[in-house]
Amino acid sequence: MNGDHLHNQKLSELEAVLKDFLDTDAMGRAALGDHWTQFSPAQQREFLALFRTLFQRTYLQKLLFFEKPVFDYVGETPGDGFTRVDTKIVTPKDEFMVTYRMRAAAARWLAIDIQVEDLSLTDNFRQQLDRQLSKGSIEALLESMRKKFGGQDDTA
């Protein structure tokens, strides 16, 4: 098995695990912030499908950098409409905190944001999307995302 095949296999396995763990629709709406209502319903659906691929690829690529990671549960804190779950990822070379904002949904919990060392991935995407939308149109944003993430069968 070559390196690319092993990498793609790990990526596929992580995608399958995280597919039922991440609420990427909530993350996508939060990442658009006030821009959400400027999108038509069709644009919102397309954006969420493309955002799902963007988020999973971004997050999963970071996870694949870790060699032999151990995920330690640290604790949880109930919040207003969500629960904050603190974890620590420990590798042979490093350790850092990862916090998940979780919401209850029909007999399971879904992550609505992930913070790595106090940096919210959703906030980071919001800043990037704000910059893109301040310079261009909604259609230009969607076209850019189509070029990067279109054609993927991630529409679950």
Side-chain angles (χ1 to χ4, degrees):
M1 187 177 304
N2 67 32
D4 285 344
H5 181 74
L6 182 60
H7 177 84
N8 291 337
Q9 181 181 347
K10 286 180 178 179
L11 197 59
S12 292
E13 290 171 2
L14 279 171
E15 282 178 353
V17 169
L18 293 177
K19 190 175 187 177
D20 294 328
F21 171 72
L22 299 173
D23 186 349
T24 55
D25 285 356
M27 293 175 182
R29 285 189 298 273
L32 276 182
D34 292 339
H35 299 290
W36 175 254
T37 58
Q38 299 166 0
F39 282 56
S40 72
Q43 289 171 324
Q44 290 172 345
R45 283 189 300 275
E46 182 179 12
F47 172 80
L48 292 177
L50 293 166
F51 182 82
R52 182 179 308 119
T53 302
L54 165 68
F55 192 91
Q56 288 184 345
R57 294 276 164 89
T58 302
Y59 184 60
L60 295 178
Q61 293 292 344
K62 290 184 183 346
L63 287 177
L64 291 178
F65 286 131
F66 303 126
E67 183 180 333
K68 300 178 183 176
V70 175
F71 296 82
D72 287 336
Y73 169 80
V74 175
E76 61 189 58
T77 309
D80 186 21
F82 67 91
T83 295
R84 176 187 162 116
V85 177
D86 295 313
T87 66
K88 183 173 18 176
I89 297 179
V90 180
T91 71
K93 296 179 181 174
D94 202 2
E95 66 179 53
F96 52 92
M97 296 299 295
V98 177
T99 299
Y100 299 90
R101 281 184 37 167
M102 309 288 294
R103 71 172 180 83
R108 64 185 175 145
W109 288 86
L110 294 171
I112 56 174
D113 193 15
I114 301 170
Q115 292 180 308
V116 180
E117 297 288 341
D118 295 325
L119 177 63
S120 162
L121 296 180
T122 302
D123 288 348
N124 190 34
F125 282 120
R126 182 180 307 124
Q127 291 170 7
Q128 292 176 37
L129 293 168
D130 267 343
R131 277 195 301 272
Q132 283 189 270
L133 288 169
S134 71
K135 295 177 186 173
S137 68
I138 291 170
E139 190 52 43
L141 171 68
L142 291 173
E143 182 59 28
S144 172
M145 293 177 78
R146 280 183 210 117
K147 286 180 181 173
K148 290 181 183 173
F149 308 110
Q152 307 295 322
D153 187 20
D154 292 317
T155 57

